[in-house]
Amino acid sequence: TPLTNETAVELVERLAIAKAQAIASKEKNALVIGSDQVCVSHGQILGKPGNYENAFAQLKAASGNKVTFYTGLAVIDTDTHAMTSLVEPYNVHFRHLTDAMIDRYLNAEQPYDCAGSFKSEGFGISLFSRLEGRDPNSLIGLPLISLIEILDDAGLRVI
């Protein structure tokens, strides 16, 4: 839940840090990764829809519009207590969607537990006209490009 006057960016970074800290306090000799994501449409944070009706309303509102996903990432070194955190934005531009298109999509994929009411890694990609951002993985909830850079800085080479 956002704190009073907390922006979506501040919220998602705070939650990513809190998740990482909750695990880091119990671990030694580890790099702990925390991540969280919020979806913002028309200046409002969208929660997970939970059901068909809410998902339909979210997609109807997104039709022809841009929705921004903010993914917070925090990495804590449990030995040094050093922490790196950031927020990676990613914009999704929706096609103009008819009610029939929304209905077919929701019945096919039932993304009721997904922020924004879609699964971009599945059939949800058919809802978009354009995607913009540095790292498409941030759309699914973990900005891997940034994470690899942080791990490299910590001396852990992914490749």
Side-chain angles (χ1 to χ4, degrees):
T1 303
L3 301 175
T4 304
N5 297 320
E6 186 175 44
T7 67
V9 171
E10 293 166 340
L11 168 66
V12 78
E13 186 169 26
R14 176 176 58 83
L15 293 175
I17 291 169
K19 287 179 177 183
Q21 287 174 332
I23 301 300
S25 67
K26 302 172 190 170
E27 298 295 326
K28 293 182 181 179
N29 193 30
L31 291 175
V32 177
I33 301 165
S35 185
D36 203 271
Q37 182 181 67
V38 297
C39 174
V40 177
S41 177
H42 303 293
Q44 297 295 315
I45 295 173
L46 298 181
K48 296 176 181 176
N51 60 45
Y52 175 92
E53 292 76 20
N54 293 338
F56 192 96
Q58 284 186 0
L59 291 176
K60 185 84 169 165
S63 177
N65 292 303
K66 176 182 82 170
V67 173
T68 302
F69 284 79
Y70 295 102
T71 305
L73 174 65
V75 178
I76 298 174
D77 183 324
T78 61
D79 287 343
T80 67
H81 304 288
M83 181 185 67
T84 302
S85 67
L86 58 87
V87 175
E88 187 76 38
Y90 201 82
N91 296 316
V92 175
H93 296 264
F94 280 81
R95 297 170 56 195
H96 289 280
L97 305 172
T98 66
D99 289 357
M101 292 165 73
I102 295 169
D103 180 67
R104 280 194 303 272
Y105 171 69
L106 292 176
N107 284 308
E109 204 147 60
Q110 301 178 1
Y112 309 136
D113 62 343
C114 300
S117 300
F118 64 82
K119 295 179 183 180
S120 64
E121 66 274 22
F123 189 46
I125 198 77
S126 66
L127 305 172
F128 313 144
S129 62
R130 185 170 89 236
L131 300 172
E132 315 177 283
R134 179 173 179 252
D135 186 349
N137 296 293
S138 62
L139 185 56
I140 355 180
L142 185 62
L144 292 176
I145 292 172
S146 293
L147 177 58
I148 289 167
E149 290 170 352
I150 292 168
L151 295 175
D152 278 349
D153 290 346
L156 181 62
R157 304 288 179 242
V158 174
I159 55 171

